[in-house]
Amino acid sequence: MTTVDTALTPQLLEDFGRDGFVVVPGLLSADERRRYGCQNLWEDSENVRPLTFHPLLAETAARLLGVGAVRLWHDQALYKEPGGRETDPHQDQPYWPIVETDTITAWIPFDGSTLESGAMGYLPGSHRLGLREFVNIFTGGEDGGPDGVLGREELAGIEPVFVEVPPGAVAYHHGLTFHLAGANRGGAVRRVHTVIYFADRSTRGSGRFPHPSVERAGIPMGGVIASDVTPLAWPRPAGEPLPPAPASPLY
C-alpha cells in the first residue's frame, strides 16, 4: 500500500522547493479513480468527499509546503471538453484573500493527462520571484493580460515545462507558481479534480472579490481562517468532515 513516505521521495521534495511543481506518482489506485471521477464537490456529494480529504493527498500537500497542518480552501472540477482552448498563464494565489503564501493545488487527472489532452505547463522557480499578479483568465486582456505576464522582466528566459501526468499520479503546484494548460486536441473530455490546501493558522487579507471560503464564516480582515467551511484536511480525526450549513444568498 502506498504511503506518503514511499511516494514522496527526498528528490521530489527538493524538486518542489526549487521549481514550485512536482508530479507524485501512485497516490490514487485505479479503484479510487473510478469511484471519484465525478463533477460534484465535497459539500454536495458524499462520493467526492473522500477524495478531497484523502489523507495521502492532504499529507503530501503539507509535506511539500513544509507545514504541520493544512486546511481545505476549496475543491473544484476542471473538465476540458474536446476542442477546449488553452488556459492562460497565471498564478492561483492572487485569486484568494490569504495573506500568507503557504498554499498548494493538487491537480488530479482521473485518466492521466497528455500534451494532446491539455497537459499543464509550469514556469520553474517562478514561485520564488516575489510576484503576486492577478490575471483575468476568464476574459483575458485585462490586468496585464497573459502576454503581459510572460513578458515581465522577472520571467524572462523561463520557458514553461509541460508535464504529462500518468493515471494515479497527482501534480502539485505552489500557489505562486505561474502555470498554464494546453488546448484539448483529443477526442475525450479531460477530467480533472483539483483540491487547494493552505497552511493552518493562515489569515485573511484583502482580495479583489468576495470569496465564500471566508465570507460564509464571517472571517474578519486579519483573522485566522478556520471554520467548517475550511476544515482541517491533515492531520484530522478519522473520517471526512460534515459539510457546513448552506450558504445564505449574501454568504
Side-chain angles (χ1 to χ4, degrees):
M1 182 178 180
T2 301
T3 67
V4 169
D5 288 334
T6 59
L8 193 55
T9 64
Q11 184 62 56
L12 289 175
L13 286 167
E14 180 182 337
D15 292 346
F16 183 82
R18 181 188 64 243
D19 297 330
F21 69 92
V22 75
V23 175
V24 181
L27 285 184
L28 298 176
S29 68
D31 178 64
E32 287 174 320
R33 299 196 304 276
R34 284 192 296 269
R35 284 190 285 128
Y36 299 144
C38 64
Q39 295 191 49
N40 295 326
L41 303 182
W42 80 275
E43 292 190 38
D44 304 314
S45 173
E46 293 182 2
N47 293 326
V48 77
R49 199 171 302 143
L51 175 60
T52 295
F53 291 93
H54 195 295
L56 279 180
L57 290 180
E59 184 180 356
T60 298
R63 291 276 297 275
L64 287 169
L65 288 175
V67 300
V70 291
R71 289 181 174 271
L72 172 70
W73 182 246
H74 66 73
D75 59 0
Q76 61 184 337
L78 297 178
Y79 282 34
K80 185 172 284 191
E81 300 284 342
R85 75 172 186 88
E86 298 91 346
T87 302
D88 297 325
H90 65 284
Q91 297 169 298
D92 291 336
Q93 184 83 31
Y95 291 89
W96 309 325
I98 306 174
V99 173
E100 296 80 10
T101 57
D102 286 328
T103 60
I104 191 170
T105 295
W107 196 81
I108 309 161
F110 292 117
D111 310 304
S113 69
T114 64
L115 296 179
E116 183 181 37
S117 69
M120 291 277 279
Y122 306 95
L123 272 63
S126 56
H127 67 305
R128 297 186 285 111
L129 298 177
L131 295 175
R132 189 165 175 168
E133 181 164 330
F134 175 84
V135 176
N136 190 331
I137 64 172
F138 305 105
T139 61
E142 300 178 19
D143 303 290
D147 294 335
V149 167
L150 292 186
R152 288 197 57 144
E153 181 179 355
E154 296 92 335
L155 300 176
I158 305 178
E159 293 295 326
V161 174
F162 284 87
V163 178
E164 295 186 320
V165 180
V170 176
Y172 289 86
H173 65 266
H174 193 279
L176 290 177
T177 300
F178 281 92
H179 58 284
L180 59 157
N184 185 354
R185 301 188 303 274
V189 175
R190 190 207 64 185
R191 304 184 307 139
V192 171
H193 184 72
T194 63
V195 187
I196 298 156
Y197 303 102
F198 67 101
D200 188 29
R201 306 300 300 172
S202 296
T203 57
R204 178 179 180 175
S206 60
R208 284 177 170 256
F209 312 105
H211 199 291
S213 293
V214 290
E215 302 291 347
R216 287 172 57 185
I219 306 296
M221 199 67 63
V224 173
I225 305 171
S227 74
D228 59 355
V229 182
T230 55
L232 273 172
W234 187 85
R236 60 169 295 103
E240 300 82 42
L242 294 174
S248 70
L250 296 178
Y251 298 115

